Amino acid sequence: MYTLFVVGGFVMFILFSLQVFLSGHLETQFHMKGVKKGLVLAIPLLFLCISSLVSGKLIKGNKQIMKKIIILGLLLQAATLTFFKEYESIFLLLTIISLNGIAIGSILPTLDALITENIEKSQRGLITSFYSSARFIGVAAGPPFMSMLIKKDLTIASYGGAIITLYLAWLVIRKIQVNE
């Protein structure tokens, strides 16, 4: 269960870190402001929402499929983080961050389903509260962390995030047991 909490918190951390990075770079490098910037920021989130919808339709209570989707989503996130700092154009940057949105969008509904389906009804409220708290910690920690790293070294954020994501994929493989 703790593995799922950490994965949920970390993917939200990455999501909001990348959104802060994108927002800053849209202003500084691509000179976008206002509504135009907001529309561009919404593109990765659109892919996240579509991916979340598709993922939710695919899982249908099958825990083996849920585990595979989480692992594939984490692998896609690791790949996007590896190439994250290599962008040369706004199109490539948006593609990389949108692919990460697809990864996160596929992971979140499967985490939600795995957590709620594996908990007795009497404890469901407490456990889902802890899970939501873990995700909100990721949301809150991502922007300041990325703001600090942008000023220092983006390579550390890029490769470090990819390594942590691969470690989380390994944890999911080892710790999440599905018997169906």
Side-chain angles (χ1 to χ4, degrees), residues 7-179:
V7 169
F10 189 71
V11 298
M12 295 303 283
F13 173 86
I14 294 297
L15 171 66
F16 281 82
S17 294
L18 292 179
Q19 286 295 100
V20 163
F21 176 82
L22 180 59
S23 177
H25 272 61
L26 288 175
E27 284 187 18
T28 58
Q29 281 194 310
F30 304 111
H31 309 293
M32 285 187 199
K33 294 188 187 315
V35 174
K36 185 176 181 182
K37 176 183 155 189
L39 290 172
V40 173
L41 278 170
I43 293 170
L45 299 176
L46 173 67
F47 282 97
L48 182 146
C49 291
I50 292 168
S51 174
S52 187
L53 177 69
V54 170
S55 176
K57 296 269 186 199
L58 287 176
I59 58 177
K60 296 183 182 174
N62 186 327
K63 292 177 185 169
Q64 290 179 341
I65 291 175
M66 290 180 205
K67 183 176 177 178
K68 287 177 186 175
I69 288 174
I70 293 170
I71 293 166
L72 289 173
L74 288 170
L75 293 176
L76 178 58
Q77 177 169 292
T80 62
L81 291 173
T82 300
F83 297 108
F84 166 63
K85 67 176 216 64
E86 304 299 330
Y87 70 92
E88 295 175 6
S89 68
I90 190 169
F91 178 76
L92 188 55
L93 180 61
L94 275 173
T95 300
I96 291 168
I97 295 177
S98 293
L99 285 171
N100 191 272
I102 290 170
I104 293 171
S106 67
I107 292 169
L108 291 176
T110 56
L111 289 174
D112 294 344
L114 268 177
I115 288 172
T116 56
E117 288 180 12
N118 288 318
I119 300 170
E120 294 177 29
K121 202 169 191 172
S122 63
Q123 296 178 343
R124 196 170 291 162
L126 178 67
I127 300 300
T128 56
S129 294
F130 283 132
Y131 171 63
S132 294
S133 296
R135 285 176 51 173
F136 286 126
I137 289 169
V139 169
F145 185 80
M146 182 54 82
S147 295
M148 288 187 309
L149 277 178
I150 287 172
K151 294 173 184 157
K152 293 187 181 195
D153 189 3
L154 199 55
T155 303
I156 293 171
S158 181
Y159 294 141
I163 290 167
I164 292 170
T165 302
L166 289 173
Y167 175 71
L168 290 175
W170 178 81
L171 274 179
V172 169
I173 292 167
R174 302 275 306 175
K175 300 287 184 184
I176 306 301
Q177 303 299 320
V178 292
N179 299 324

